[in-house]
Amino acid sequence: MAFISKDFRSPGEAWVKTDVGWERLKVLECGGKRKRHNSEGSSYQVVASDSQEVEEEGSSMPPHYHITIRCTREIAGFNGLSEAVKRLDFQRSVRDRKRFHYICAFLLLVSNKGIASLPGSAQRQLLQMVEEVASHVNDSQQHPNVLRGLALQLEQIVNQENQKCWGKPLGSTYLWKEHMATIKRIQRVASQIEIREPDPKAKPKLHELPEECVREIILCIADHRDLESAAKAWDTMAKLVSEQRIWRELTRFHFNQRQIHTILDLDKFKQMGEIKDWKQIYHQLRRTYGVNDDYQFAEVLALCRSCCCLFWPSDGHPCIVDQSPDYKQRLEEAGGQQALSQPVPPAQFLSYFSL
């Protein structure tokens, strides 16, 4: 059967002039409103073959992106990183505290692979995201170490690119001038950021809280390195971090019962008897099985198995399941729409693209 594609006589894509350049309307419809270039009135101009105009207050869909998992004889799909980042609204998600660490982990993975091999639009988009991270860190006074890590990685990329082609980066000279200006702004923010002390009149202070409250705060920490750093900051925290309950809960958070029992069956842990050193057990489990880094993310991208769509679980997505009432009823009986979705860590997300 012949594959029927879009008619070549169709009016084509609708394009919108934004503050960062021209963008397709269907990309802007995902992820809410953005700043549009406006020179005359309250509506932005959409350039298409029929010169139509679309009002800015139009309906917008939740951020989502349909991907091609594997190519077939009928479908030869291509996943574009730049379009995926825009349609999933990564740049605005930087200021969402649930998605911040996921976005930063994605940026670190991309920078490790090298951004010079990406298309120019993807390079510009990724650097704009890093600049948004710098702005967010400067405003929120949180996670400066993440920003410094990204700035250091960008500096290494520039040094590597300057050694490739007679001391100059390989690619468009104008584009790299723009990149260098963006990188300098990011590095300037990273070098000048200072954590401001809280208002001295603010009450209560951390050291004024009872031990029960401080213990509950420590129990929310999911990284053993943060626990060790907290123990060095304050004597009360050091005493609480040394409690067996803290390390027992951390162990149960990262590892299942089968893994824990496997380690407890070892001879050196059998000799402990009923009194166990959970800190030692945790580190033995960490060396044996490793720690799942996905637990550091409050929200992870999800992949719908029904329509091969990437989306944020808190926002949902327009699924093909909604078009079939019978299938939707069977899906609800099976446990809802999330039952047919799987989490997508940053490394798996990058595997869908040719980098």
Side-chain angles (χ1 to χ4, degrees):
M1 179 178 178
F3 177 74
I4 301 177
S5 63
K6 192 174 183 179
D7 191 350
F8 70 94
R9 295 167 294 183
S10 66
E13 298 283 0
W15 291 78
V16 177
K17 190 174 184 180
T18 67
D19 56 345
V20 294
W22 291 93
E23 188 55 74
R24 283 179 293 179
L25 176 63
K26 67 179 184 180
V27 175
L28 290 178
E29 287 177 345
C30 294
K33 301 176 184 176
R34 298 183 184 178
K35 293 181 180 180
R36 275 84 171 179
H37 179 76
N38 189 355
S39 58
E40 296 181 358
S42 60
S43 62
Y44 57 75
Q45 186 179 7
V46 179
V47 177
S49 59
D50 55 354
S51 300
Q52 61 181 354
E53 290 189 359
V54 180
E55 294 297 326
E56 183 174 355
E57 298 299 329
S59 60
S60 61
M61 293 180 291
H64 67 282
Y65 179 68
H66 291 277
I67 63 171
T68 301
I69 302 296
R70 59 187 181 89
C71 298
T72 63
R73 295 176 59 184
E74 294 80 11
I75 301 176
F78 175 78
N79 302 320
L81 180 60
S82 177
E83 183 178 355
V85 166
K86 292 177 182 177
R87 292 182 70 92
L88 290 169
D89 205 12
F90 271 29
Q91 188 167 347
R92 292 204 325 157
S93 297
V94 168
R95 295 188 176 271
D96 189 333
R97 60 182 181 180
K98 291 184 178 180
R99 305 173 184 174
F100 176 81
H101 290 289
Y102 186 94
I103 303 297
C104 292
F106 159 76
L107 290 173
L108 285 173
L109 287 175
V110 174
S111 58
N112 287 332
K113 292 180 179 292
I115 65 172
S117 59
L118 299 175
S121 60
Q123 295 177 15
R124 184 182 292 110
Q125 185 72 19
L126 293 173
L127 287 177
Q128 288 174 357
M129 290 170 56
V130 179
E131 193 170 15
E132 186 69 21
V133 170
S135 175
H136 175 63
V137 170
N138 190 35
D139 295 341
S140 65
Q141 296 286 296
Q142 296 178 358
H143 313 296
N145 57 327
V146 176
L147 175 59
R148 294 190 184 100
L150 288 171
L152 182 62
Q153 195 67 37
L154 290 177
E155 183 179 357
Q156 294 177 357
I157 290 175
V158 172
N159 294 335
Q160 292 174 0
E161 292 301 318
N162 287 335
Q163 299 174 3
K164 286 186 177 180
C165 184
W166 294 288
K168 296 181 179 179
L170 185 62
S172 170
T173 303
Y174 176 79
L175 183 64
W176 271 101
K177 285 182 179 179
E178 183 180 339
H179 290 350
M180 291 301 299
T182 305
I183 292 173
K184 287 181 179 179
R185 289 196 300 268
I186 295 170
Q187 292 176 340
R188 183 165 56 251
V189 173
S191 61
Q192 295 178 354
I193 188 171
E194 294 182 1
I195 303 300
R196 297 186 295 268
E197 294 184 3
D199 186 1
K201 298 181 180 179
K203 296 288 184 177
K205 304 290 186 182
L206 178 62
H207 63 272
E208 296 176 354
L209 295 175
E211 289 189 2
E212 292 78 7
C213 296
V214 179
R215 183 182 292 106
E216 292 300 321
I217 295 173
I218 294 176
L219 286 171
C220 296
I221 298 177
D223 193 332
H224 67 278
R225 293 169 295 185
D226 293 336
L227 285 177
E228 294 169 354
S229 299
K232 298 176 182 178
W234 186 22
D235 294 339
T236 302
M237 278 192 172
K239 183 179 68 173
L240 295 175
V241 169
S242 63
E243 292 181 356
Q244 292 298 315
R245 179 191 173 189
I246 303 296
W247 293 97
R248 183 179 71 244
E249 296 299 328
L250 183 66
T251 303
R252 292 175 177 174
F253 177 78
H254 284 288
F255 307 102
N256 56 42
Q257 290 296 327
R258 182 185 59 81
Q259 294 172 334
I260 294 175
H261 287 311
T262 301
I263 295 298
L264 292 178
D265 289 339
L266 298 178
D267 293 337
K268 66 177 182 178
F269 291 105
K270 283 184 177 180
Q271 297 175 0
M272 293 182 180
E274 296 181 357
I275 302 177
K276 298 179 176 61
D277 186 354
W278 283 99
K279 182 177 180 179
Q280 186 178 357
I281 294 172
Y282 169 81
H283 286 298
Q284 182 65 38
L285 285 164
R286 182 175 60 86
R287 289 189 293 268
T288 305
Y289 298 104
V291 177
N292 191 350
D293 293 334
D294 298 342
Y295 289 131
Q296 65 179 315
F297 309 126
E299 187 173 12
V300 182
L301 278 178
L303 174 65
C304 179
R305 299 178 183 176
S306 301
C307 58
C308 292
C309 180
L310 290 171
F311 65 97
W312 295 106
S314 60
D315 293 336
H317 72 291
C319 186
I320 194 174
V321 175
D322 300 331
Q323 302 175 5
S324 176
D326 297 337
Y327 188 81
K328 185 176 181 179
Q329 183 178 0
R330 295 196 301 268
L331 182 61
E332 291 176 352
E333 295 174 355
Q337 187 170 349
Q338 296 297 330
L340 290 181
S341 64
Q342 63 181 27
V344 180
Q348 183 179 346
F349 174 73
L350 281 180
S351 66
Y352 296 137
F353 309 94
S354 300
L355 299 182

